[in-house]
Amino acid sequence: MSDTDRTSNEPPAAGGSAARPRPPEVAAENGGVQQEHDRAAHELAAVAPMVSGQSVPVHPDTARPAEVPSETRVEEHQERVITTPPVRPPGMALRQPRLPRWTPLALAAGSLAAAVALGVLGGLDSRLQWGLIAAVLFVSANFALTAAVEGRRQAVDRLAASLVWTSFLVAVLPLASLIWETVARGIPTVSWDFLTHSMNGVLSWQPGGGIYHALLATLEQVVLASVIAIPIGLLTAVYLVEYGRGRLAKAVTFFVDVMTGIPSIVAGLFILAMWIMALGFGYSGFAGALALSILMMPIVVRATEEMLKLVPNELREAALALGVPKWRVILKVVLPTAIGGITTGVMLAIARIAGETAPILLLVFGSNLINANPFEGPQSSLPLFVYEQWGYGTEEAYDRAWAAALVLIVLIMILNLVARGIARWKAPKTGR
Protein backbone atom coordinates (compact mmCIF):
# COMPACT_ATOMS: atom_id res chain seq x y z
CA MET A 1 0.00 0.00 0.00
CA SER A 2 1.31 3.43 -0.87
CA ASP A 3 1.86 6.22 1.59
CA THR A 4 -0.91 8.24 0.02
CA ASP A 5 -3.48 5.50 0.49
CA ARG A 6 -2.32 4.87 4.07
CA THR A 7 -2.74 8.56 4.95
CA SER A 8 -6.27 8.76 3.54
CA ASN A 9 -7.44 5.64 5.39
CA GLU A 10 -6.06 6.58 8.85
CA PRO A 11 -8.65 7.70 11.38
CA PRO A 12 -8.51 11.27 12.81
CA ALA A 13 -6.32 11.83 15.79
CA ALA A 14 -7.80 11.66 19.29
CA GLY A 15 -8.84 14.87 20.99
CA GLY A 16 -11.02 16.24 18.22
CA SER A 17 -11.51 16.18 14.52
CA ALA A 18 -8.86 18.14 12.74
CA ALA A 19 -10.19 20.40 10.03
CA ARG A 20 -8.80 19.60 6.68
CA PRO A 21 -7.30 22.53 4.79
CA ARG A 22 -9.51 23.86 2.05
CA PRO A 23 -8.36 23.65 -1.48
CA PRO A 24 -6.89 26.91 -2.76
CA GLU A 25 -9.54 27.35 -5.42
CA VAL A 26 -12.42 27.12 -2.84
CA ALA A 27 -10.82 29.64 -0.51
CA ALA A 28 -10.29 32.05 -3.36
CA GLU A 29 -13.87 31.67 -4.46
CA ASN A 30 -15.21 32.35 -0.94
CA GLY A 31 -12.99 35.33 -0.47
CA GLY A 32 -14.15 36.81 -3.77
CA VAL A 33 -17.79 36.40 -2.82
CA GLN A 34 -17.22 38.07 0.56
CA GLN A 35 -15.42 41.01 -1.03
CA GLU A 36 -18.19 41.40 -3.59
CA HIS A 37 -20.83 41.37 -0.84
CA ASP A 38 -18.99 44.04 1.20
CA ARG A 39 -18.58 46.29 -1.82
CA ALA A 40 -22.31 46.04 -2.71
CA ALA A 41 -23.36 46.82 0.87
CA HIS A 42 -21.03 49.84 0.93
CA GLU A 43 -22.48 51.19 -2.32
CA LEU A 44 -26.07 50.75 -1.13
CA ALA A 45 -25.30 52.47 2.17
CA ALA A 46 -23.83 55.40 0.28
CA VAL A 47 -26.78 55.64 -2.12
CA ALA A 48 -29.56 55.32 0.53
CA PRO A 49 -29.13 58.80 2.06
CA MET A 50 -29.36 60.41 -1.38
CA VAL A 51 -32.58 58.55 -2.14
CA SER A 52 -34.20 59.41 1.19
CA GLY A 53 -33.28 63.08 0.97
CA GLN A 54 -31.06 63.11 4.07
CA SER A 55 -27.38 63.83 4.50
CA VAL A 56 -25.55 61.17 6.48
CA PRO A 57 -22.08 61.85 7.99
CA VAL A 58 -19.24 59.65 6.75
CA HIS A 59 -16.67 58.13 9.08
CA PRO A 60 -13.19 59.45 8.13
CA ASP A 61 -11.35 56.16 8.64
CA THR A 62 -13.60 53.66 6.96
CA ALA A 63 -15.22 56.04 4.45
CA ARG A 64 -18.58 54.49 5.40
CA PRO A 65 -21.67 56.20 6.67
CA ALA A 66 -21.59 56.58 10.43
CA GLU A 67 -25.33 55.93 10.77
CA VAL A 68 -27.89 54.77 8.28
CA PRO A 69 -31.44 56.08 8.81
CA SER A 70 -33.67 53.49 10.39
CA GLU A 71 -36.50 54.38 8.02
CA THR A 72 -34.53 53.01 5.05
CA ARG A 73 -34.47 49.24 4.74
CA VAL A 74 -32.57 47.71 1.85
CA GLU A 75 -32.94 43.98 1.78
CA GLU A 76 -31.60 41.30 -0.49
CA HIS A 77 -33.71 40.34 -3.49
CA GLN A 78 -35.87 43.50 -3.05
CA GLU A 79 -35.93 46.52 -5.28
CA ARG A 80 -37.85 49.00 -3.13
CA VAL A 81 -36.65 51.99 -1.11
CA ILE A 82 -38.63 53.40 1.85
CA THR A 83 -38.23 57.15 2.03
CA THR A 84 -38.49 59.14 5.24
CA PRO A 85 -41.40 61.56 5.72
CA PRO A 86 -40.76 65.23 5.15
CA VAL A 87 -39.41 67.13 8.11
CA ARG A 88 -41.96 69.37 9.89
CA PRO A 89 -40.87 73.02 10.09
CA PRO A 90 -39.94 74.12 13.61
CA GLY A 91 -42.69 76.76 13.77
CA MET A 92 -45.54 74.37 12.93
CA ALA A 93 -47.44 73.12 16.06
CA LEU A 94 -49.46 69.90 16.18
CA ARG A 95 -51.64 70.91 19.16
CA GLN A 96 -54.82 72.82 18.45
CA PRO A 97 -55.61 75.99 20.38
CA ARG A 98 -57.54 75.34 23.60
CA LEU A 99 -59.42 77.52 26.04
CA PRO A 100 -57.90 78.11 29.49
CA ARG A 101 -59.10 75.98 32.37
CA TRP A 102 -60.72 78.92 34.10
CA THR A 103 -63.00 79.59 31.12
CA PRO A 104 -66.04 77.65 32.47
CA LEU A 105 -65.86 79.48 35.80
CA ALA A 106 -65.58 82.83 34.08
CA LEU A 107 -68.51 82.01 31.79
CA ALA A 108 -70.59 80.84 34.76
CA ALA A 109 -69.89 84.05 36.67
CA GLY A 110 -70.65 86.18 33.63
CA SER A 111 -73.85 84.26 32.86
CA LEU A 112 -75.03 84.63 36.46
CA ALA A 113 -74.34 88.36 36.45
CA ALA A 114 -76.13 88.79 33.11
CA ALA A 115 -79.10 86.74 34.38
CA VAL A 116 -79.39 88.88 37.51
CA ALA A 117 -79.25 92.04 35.41
CA LEU A 118 -81.89 90.75 33.00
CA GLY A 119 -84.08 89.66 35.90
CA VAL A 120 -83.87 93.03 37.60
CA LEU A 121 -84.48 94.95 34.40
CA GLY A 122 -87.29 92.62 33.33
CA GLY A 123 -89.05 92.70 36.68
CA LEU A 124 -88.52 88.99 37.42
CA ASP A 125 -88.68 88.40 41.18
CA SER A 126 -88.14 84.65 41.22
CA ARG A 127 -84.57 83.46 41.70
CA LEU A 128 -85.49 80.25 39.92
CA GLN A 129 -86.11 82.27 36.76
CA TRP A 130 -82.74 83.94 37.18
CA GLY A 131 -81.10 80.53 37.48
CA LEU A 132 -82.77 79.23 34.32
CA ILE A 133 -81.69 82.32 32.38
CA ALA A 134 -78.13 81.91 33.68
CA ALA A 135 -78.10 78.24 32.62
CA VAL A 136 -79.25 79.07 29.09
CA LEU A 137 -76.68 81.86 28.77
CA PHE A 138 -73.87 79.64 30.07
CA VAL A 139 -74.60 76.78 27.68
CA SER A 140 -74.94 79.10 24.68
CA ALA A 141 -71.80 81.12 25.45
CA ASN A 142 -69.74 78.01 26.15
CA PHE A 143 -70.77 76.43 22.85
CA ALA A 144 -70.11 79.56 20.78
CA LEU A 145 -66.72 80.31 22.36
CA THR A 146 -65.53 76.71 22.06
CA ALA A 147 -66.62 76.52 18.43
CA ALA A 148 -64.71 79.70 17.62
CA VAL A 149 -61.47 78.65 19.35
CA GLU A 150 -61.30 74.84 19.39
CA GLY A 151 -63.57 73.85 16.52
CA ARG A 152 -67.06 72.45 16.11
CA ARG A 153 -66.15 68.96 17.31
CA GLN A 154 -64.94 70.16 20.69
CA ALA A 155 -67.87 72.55 20.87
CA VAL A 156 -70.37 69.71 20.53
CA ASP A 157 -68.51 67.78 23.24
CA ARG A 158 -68.59 70.79 25.55
CA LEU A 159 -72.29 71.26 24.81
CA ALA A 160 -73.08 67.69 25.85
CA ALA A 161 -71.03 68.06 29.03
CA SER A 162 -72.74 71.36 29.85
CA LEU A 163 -76.18 69.81 29.40
CA VAL A 164 -75.26 66.93 31.70
CA TRP A 165 -73.99 69.24 34.44
CA THR A 166 -77.00 71.53 34.06
CA SER A 167 -79.39 68.61 34.39
CA PHE A 168 -77.51 67.45 37.48
CA LEU A 169 -77.81 70.86 39.11
CA VAL A 170 -81.50 71.13 38.20
CA ALA A 171 -82.08 67.76 39.90
CA VAL A 172 -79.96 68.51 42.98
CA LEU A 173 -81.06 72.08 43.71
CA PRO A 174 -84.66 71.25 44.75
CA LEU A 175 -83.43 68.49 47.06
CA ALA A 176 -80.74 70.71 48.56
CA SER A 177 -83.26 73.52 48.99
CA LEU A 178 -85.72 71.19 50.71
CA ILE A 179 -83.11 69.85 53.11
CA TRP A 180 -81.82 73.35 53.86
CA GLU A 181 -85.30 74.69 54.56
CA THR A 182 -86.21 71.71 56.75
CA VAL A 183 -83.00 71.92 58.76
CA ALA A 184 -83.18 75.69 59.16
CA ARG A 185 -86.79 75.69 60.39
CA GLY A 186 -86.77 72.40 62.28
CA ILE A 187 -83.61 72.60 64.39
CA PRO A 188 -84.84 75.42 66.71
CA THR A 189 -87.77 73.26 67.84
CA VAL A 190 -86.03 69.88 68.13
CA SER A 191 -84.99 69.12 71.71
CA TRP A 192 -84.99 66.25 74.17
CA ASP A 193 -88.38 67.28 75.51
CA PHE A 194 -89.76 67.38 71.98
CA LEU A 195 -88.59 63.79 71.39
CA THR A 196 -89.78 62.40 74.74
CA HIS A 197 -93.22 64.05 75.16
CA SER A 198 -96.53 63.64 73.38
CA MET A 199 -99.24 66.14 72.44
CA ASN A 200 -101.56 65.08 75.25
CA GLY A 201 -103.13 68.20 76.75
CA VAL A 202 -101.35 70.62 74.38
CA LEU A 203 -103.56 72.79 72.19
CA SER A 204 -102.63 73.82 68.69
CA TRP A 205 -101.78 77.44 69.56
CA GLN A 206 -99.76 76.52 72.64
CA PRO A 207 -96.02 75.95 72.58
CA GLY A 208 -94.49 72.73 73.78
CA GLY A 209 -95.58 69.19 73.13
CA GLY A 210 -93.63 66.54 71.29
CA ILE A 211 -93.62 63.65 68.86
CA TYR A 212 -92.91 60.68 71.12
CA HIS A 213 -96.31 59.07 70.44
CA ALA A 214 -95.92 59.56 66.68
CA LEU A 215 -92.29 58.38 66.59
CA LEU A 216 -93.08 55.21 68.56
CA ALA A 217 -96.09 54.41 66.36
CA THR A 218 -94.08 54.99 63.16
CA LEU A 219 -91.37 52.57 64.24
CA GLU A 220 -93.91 49.91 65.21
CA GLN A 221 -95.86 50.21 61.97
CA VAL A 222 -92.74 50.14 59.79
CA VAL A 223 -91.37 47.09 61.63
CA LEU A 224 -94.69 45.22 61.30
CA ALA A 225 -94.96 46.08 57.61
CA SER A 226 -91.36 44.94 57.04
CA VAL A 227 -91.97 41.65 58.87
CA ILE A 228 -94.94 40.98 56.59
CA ALA A 229 -93.58 42.24 53.26
CA ILE A 230 -89.88 41.30 53.27
CA PRO A 231 -90.22 37.48 53.56
CA ILE A 232 -93.07 37.38 51.04
CA GLY A 233 -91.15 39.61 48.64
CA LEU A 234 -87.94 37.59 48.94
CA LEU A 235 -89.67 34.25 48.43
CA THR A 236 -91.61 35.60 45.46
CA ALA A 237 -88.44 36.88 43.82
CA VAL A 238 -86.64 33.58 44.43
CA TYR A 239 -89.54 31.72 42.83
CA LEU A 240 -89.58 33.98 39.78
CA VAL A 241 -85.82 33.73 39.21
CA GLU A 242 -85.01 30.16 40.25
CA TYR A 243 -88.21 28.17 39.64
CA GLY A 244 -90.79 30.17 37.67
CA ARG A 245 -91.09 28.93 34.09
CA GLY A 246 -94.81 28.70 33.34
CA ARG A 247 -98.04 30.69 33.28
CA LEU A 248 -98.05 31.14 37.04
CA ALA A 249 -94.72 32.98 36.89
CA LYS A 250 -96.05 35.26 34.14
CA ALA A 251 -99.19 35.98 36.15
CA VAL A 252 -97.17 36.77 39.28
CA THR A 253 -94.89 39.09 37.30
CA PHE A 254 -97.89 40.88 35.83
CA PHE A 255 -99.55 41.47 39.21
CA VAL A 256 -96.28 42.63 40.74
CA ASP A 257 -95.98 45.24 37.99
CA VAL A 258 -99.57 46.32 38.62
CA MET A 259 -99.03 46.59 42.37
CA THR A 260 -95.95 48.75 41.86
CA GLY A 261 -98.11 51.57 40.52
CA ILE A 262 -100.97 51.31 43.03
CA PRO A 263 -101.62 54.62 44.83
CA SER A 264 -101.32 54.49 48.59
CA ILE A 265 -104.94 55.57 49.06
CA VAL A 266 -106.11 52.49 47.14
CA ALA A 267 -104.16 50.20 49.47
CA GLY A 268 -105.68 51.99 52.44
CA LEU A 269 -109.21 51.64 51.06
CA PHE A 270 -108.64 47.93 50.40
CA ILE A 271 -107.58 47.23 54.02
CA LEU A 272 -110.39 49.47 55.29
CA ALA A 273 -112.98 47.45 53.37
CA MET A 274 -111.53 44.01 54.15
CA TRP A 275 -110.04 44.31 57.64
CA ILE A 276 -112.27 46.87 59.35
CA MET A 277 -115.60 46.79 57.55
CA ALA A 278 -115.80 43.14 56.43
CA LEU A 279 -113.97 41.40 59.28
CA GLY A 280 -115.00 43.85 61.99
CA PHE A 281 -111.57 44.78 63.40
CA GLY A 282 -111.08 48.28 64.74
CA TYR A 283 -108.68 51.06 63.86
CA SER A 284 -105.14 50.17 64.89
CA GLY A 285 -101.52 50.46 63.95
CA PHE A 286 -101.58 46.90 62.62
CA ALA A 287 -104.24 47.86 60.07
CA GLY A 288 -101.97 50.63 58.87
CA ALA A 289 -99.06 48.19 58.73
CA LEU A 290 -101.09 45.89 56.47
CA ALA A 291 -101.65 48.70 54.00
CA LEU A 292 -97.99 49.68 54.15
CA SER A 293 -96.93 46.08 53.48
CA ILE A 294 -99.01 46.08 50.30
CA LEU A 295 -97.08 49.14 49.11
CA MET A 296 -93.74 47.69 50.20
CA MET A 297 -94.08 44.20 48.73
CA PRO A 298 -93.72 44.92 44.97
CA ILE A 299 -90.64 47.08 45.56
CA VAL A 300 -88.95 44.26 47.49
CA VAL A 301 -89.89 41.74 44.79
CA ARG A 302 -88.56 43.86 41.94
CA ALA A 303 -85.30 44.81 43.69
CA THR A 304 -84.60 41.23 44.80
CA GLU A 305 -85.44 39.81 41.39
CA GLU A 306 -83.04 42.10 39.59
CA MET A 307 -80.25 41.38 42.08
CA LEU A 308 -80.73 37.61 41.80
CA LYS A 309 -80.52 37.85 38.02
CA LEU A 310 -77.10 39.45 38.35
CA VAL A 311 -75.65 36.44 40.18
CA PRO A 312 -73.50 34.49 37.66
CA ASN A 313 -74.89 31.11 36.63
CA GLU A 314 -71.41 29.65 36.99
CA LEU A 315 -71.75 29.89 40.78
CA ARG A 316 -74.98 27.93 40.72
CA GLU A 317 -73.59 25.33 38.32
CA ALA A 318 -70.41 24.87 40.36
CA ALA A 319 -72.38 24.28 43.55
CA LEU A 320 -74.83 21.93 41.84
CA ALA A 321 -71.93 19.99 40.31
CA LEU A 322 -70.67 19.27 43.82
CA GLY A 323 -73.98 17.61 44.66
CA VAL A 324 -75.40 20.47 46.79
CA PRO A 325 -79.23 20.62 46.79
CA LYS A 326 -80.76 23.56 44.99
CA TRP A 327 -82.39 25.03 48.08
CA ARG A 328 -79.01 25.06 49.79
CA VAL A 329 -77.36 26.65 46.75
CA ILE A 330 -79.93 29.45 46.91
CA LEU A 331 -79.49 29.86 50.65
CA LYS A 332 -75.69 29.66 50.82
CA VAL A 333 -74.52 30.95 47.43
CA VAL A 334 -77.14 32.99 45.59
CA LEU A 335 -78.60 35.08 48.41
CA PRO A 336 -75.24 35.94 50.07
CA THR A 337 -73.89 37.05 46.70
CA ALA A 338 -76.82 39.41 46.11
CA ILE A 339 -77.29 40.53 49.73
CA GLY A 340 -75.97 44.04 49.07
CA GLY A 341 -78.48 44.86 46.34
CA ILE A 342 -81.30 43.14 48.21
CA THR A 343 -80.63 45.22 51.32
CA THR A 344 -80.60 48.41 49.27
CA GLY A 345 -83.94 47.50 47.70
CA VAL A 346 -85.45 46.74 51.10
CA MET A 347 -84.29 50.09 52.45
CA LEU A 348 -85.79 51.89 49.48
CA ALA A 349 -89.08 50.15 50.21
CA ILE A 350 -88.91 51.18 53.88
CA ALA A 351 -88.16 54.76 52.89
CA ARG A 352 -91.21 54.64 50.60
CA ILE A 353 -93.65 53.51 53.29
CA ALA A 354 -92.20 55.58 56.14
CA GLY A 355 -93.54 58.77 54.59
CA GLU A 356 -97.02 57.55 53.62
CA THR A 357 -99.93 59.49 55.10
CA ALA A 358 -103.13 58.39 53.32
CA PRO A 359 -103.27 54.77 54.61
CA ILE A 360 -102.44 55.93 58.13
CA LEU A 361 -105.14 58.58 58.00
CA LEU A 362 -107.75 55.98 56.98
CA LEU A 363 -106.72 53.06 59.19
CA VAL A 364 -104.80 54.34 62.22
CA PHE A 365 -107.17 57.27 62.77
CA GLY A 366 -104.68 59.41 64.71
CA SER A 367 -104.24 60.08 68.40
CA ASN A 368 -102.42 62.52 70.68
CA LEU A 369 -101.92 59.86 73.35
CA ILE A 370 -99.11 57.36 73.66
CA ASN A 371 -100.32 53.93 72.52
CA ALA A 372 -97.59 51.31 72.54
CA ASN A 373 -99.93 48.50 71.45
CA PRO A 374 -100.23 48.51 67.65
CA PHE A 375 -102.93 45.81 67.67
CA GLU A 376 -105.52 47.75 69.62
CA GLY A 377 -106.70 51.34 69.54
CA PRO A 378 -105.81 54.27 67.27
CA GLN A 379 -102.27 55.47 66.91
CA SER A 380 -100.43 58.31 65.18
CA SER A 381 -97.34 58.49 62.94
CA LEU A 382 -94.80 61.10 61.93
CA PRO A 383 -96.33 61.81 58.49
CA LEU A 384 -99.79 62.05 60.05
CA PHE A 385 -98.44 64.31 62.80
CA VAL A 386 -96.91 66.67 60.21
CA TYR A 387 -100.22 66.73 58.30
CA GLU A 388 -102.27 67.50 61.41
CA GLN A 389 -99.95 70.21 62.73
CA TRP A 390 -99.77 71.94 59.37
CA GLY A 391 -103.55 71.91 59.16
CA TYR A 392 -103.92 73.80 62.44
CA GLY A 393 -102.42 76.93 60.86
CA THR A 394 -100.72 78.41 63.92
CA GLU A 395 -97.10 79.42 64.23
CA GLU A 396 -96.43 76.92 67.01
CA ALA A 397 -98.01 74.13 64.98
CA TYR A 398 -95.88 75.06 61.97
CA ASP A 399 -92.72 74.81 64.07
CA ARG A 400 -93.73 71.36 65.34
CA ALA A 401 -94.46 70.23 61.78
CA TRP A 402 -91.02 71.30 60.52
CA ALA A 403 -89.31 69.62 63.48
CA ALA A 404 -91.22 66.36 62.90
CA ALA A 405 -90.30 66.43 59.21
CA LEU A 406 -86.62 66.85 60.14
CA VAL A 407 -86.81 63.91 62.54
CA LEU A 408 -88.40 61.75 59.82
CA ILE A 409 -85.62 62.63 57.35
CA VAL A 410 -82.93 61.83 59.91
CA LEU A 411 -84.64 58.53 60.76
CA ILE A 412 -84.67 57.43 57.11
CA MET A 413 -81.04 58.51 56.71
CA ILE A 414 -80.02 56.42 59.72
CA LEU A 415 -81.85 53.39 58.32
CA ASN A 416 -80.03 53.79 55.00
CA LEU A 417 -76.64 54.03 56.71
CA VAL A 418 -77.37 50.90 58.75
CA ALA A 419 -78.45 49.07 55.59
CA ARG A 420 -75.24 50.03 53.79
CA GLY A 421 -73.19 48.82 56.74
CA ILE A 422 -74.99 45.47 56.79
CA ALA A 423 -74.61 45.10 53.02
CA ARG A 424 -70.87 45.77 53.20
CA TRP A 425 -70.48 43.40 56.13
CA LYS A 426 -72.39 40.56 54.47
CA ALA A 427 -71.05 41.10 50.96
CA PRO A 428 -68.84 38.25 49.61
CA LYS A 429 -65.11 38.83 49.79
CA THR A 430 -63.58 39.47 46.36
CA GLY A 431 -59.89 39.40 47.29
CA ARG A 432 -57.54 36.46 46.71
Side-chain angles (χ1 to χ4, degrees):
M1 180 182 295
S2 62
D3 296 338
T4 306
D5 296 338
R6 187 183 299 110
T7 304
S8 60
N9 292 332
E10 288 180 356
S17 59
R20 295 182 179 180
R22 295 182 179 181
E25 60 273 8
V26 175
E29 181 180 357
N30 291 341
V33 172
Q34 183 65 30
Q35 293 177 359
E36 187 70 21
H37 178 72
D38 293 343
R39 184 170 63 254
H42 177 69
E43 293 176 356
L44 288 175
V47 172
M50 294 185 293
V51 175
S52 60
Q54 296 181 351
S55 59
V56 180
V58 179
H59 197 279
D61 298 333
T62 61
R64 292 186 177 182
E67 181 182 358
V68 179
S70 60
E71 294 85 1
T72 304
R73 305 278 197 288
V74 181
E75 300 180 359
E76 257 183 294
H77 308 295
Q78 291 185 354
E79 296 181 356
R80 61 177 185 176
V81 178
I82 302 176
T83 59
T84 57
V87 180
R88 176 174 52 87
M92 183 182 298
L94 293 178
R95 297 181 59 184
Q96 295 182 352
R98 298 184 63 86
L99 294 172
R101 293 184 177 180
W102 48 264
T103 302
L105 295 178
L107 290 177
S111 301
L112 185 60
V116 172
L118 291 176
V120 172
L121 295 177
L124 301 178
D125 299 331
S126 176
R127 295 182 179 179
L128 179 60
Q129 296 176 342
W130 295 1
L132 293 177
I133 294 174
V136 173
L137 292 177
F138 172 77
V139 173
S140 303
N142 193 18
F143 177 78
L145 187 60
T146 306
V149 177
E150 300 182 6
R152 181 174 180 81
R153 183 176 181 181
Q154 292 294 332
V156 173
D157 180 73
R158 293 285 182 88
L159 177 62
S162 301
L163 292 177
V164 169
W165 279 103
T166 303
S167 302
F168 170 75
L169 292 177
V170 169
V172 168
L173 283 178
L175 178 61
S177 176
L178 174 63
I179 294 177
W180 174 262
E181 189 72 14
T182 305
V183 171
R185 301 192 62 173
I187 280 184
T189 308
V190 175
S191 63
W192 181 251
D193 292 336
F194 182 76
L195 297 176
T196 57
H197 289 75
S198 67
M199 290 297 296
N200 186 20
V202 180
L203 300 178
S204 61
W205 62 85
Q206 293 178 341
I211 60 169
Y212 178 75
H213 63 296
L215 181 60
L216 178 63
T218 299
L219 294 176
E220 292 178 347
Q221 294 160 18
V222 169
V223 169
L224 287 175
S226 302
V227 169
I228 297 172
I230 291 176
I232 298 177
L234 288 177
L235 293 176
T236 304
V238 169
Y239 167 75
L240 292 176
V241 176
E242 303 293 338
Y243 298 98
R245 294 295 183 272
R247 294 183 178 179
L248 180 59
K250 295 181 180 179
V252 172
T253 303
F254 172 76
F255 283 110
V256 168
D257 293 337
V258 172
M259 291 177 62
T260 305
I262 289 180
S264 59
I265 190 67
V266 175
L269 289 174
F270 173 74
I271 298 299
L272 177 65
M274 295 296 296
W275 183 258
I276 296 178
M277 299 179 65
L279 300 179
F281 293 98
Y283 297 97
S284 63
F286 182 71
L290 290 176
L292 295 179
S293 65
I294 294 177
L295 300 174
M296 184 178 180
M297 206 176 303
I299 303 176
V300 176
V301 173
R302 271 286 166 248
T304 306
E305 183 181 2
E306 295 301 326
M307 291 300 106
L308 293 179
K309 289 180 180 179
L310 294 178
V311 177
N313 288 327
E314 289 78 5
L315 296 179
R316 299 182 177 91
E317 295 172 356
L320 292 174
L322 295 175
V324 182
K326 189 169 185 178
W327 68 268
R328 196 170 184 84
V329 172
I330 296 173
L331 188 62
K332 296 295 185 179
V333 176
V334 178
L335 290 179
T337 304
I339 188 63
I342 293 174
T343 307
T344 303
V346 169
M347 297 314 303
L348 289 176
I350 292 176
R352 159 79 190 277
I353 66 173
E356 291 292 342
T357 307
I360 305 301
L361 184 62
L362 290 175
L363 304 172
V364 180
F365 201 72
S367 174
N368 290 331
L369 303 177
I370 298 175
N371 182 12
N373 185 7
F375 299 98
E376 184 180 357
Q379 281 187 324
S380 183
S381 69
L382 286 176
L384 181 58
F385 180 84
V386 174
Y387 173 77
E388 291 175 344
Q389 294 298 318
W390 193 265
Y392 292 147
T394 62
E395 192 65 29
E396 291 77 10
Y398 287 158
D399 294 338
R400 288 190 288 264
W402 282 109
L406 177 60
V407 173
L408 181 59
I409 292 175
V410 173
L411 177 63
I412 295 176
M413 186 180 299
I414 292 175
L415 292 176
N416 278 276
L417 293 177
V418 171
R420 289 180 179 273
I422 295 175
R424 182 172 297 181
W425 174 44
K426 291 294 184 180
K429 304 297 184 294
T430 57
R432 292 185 178 180

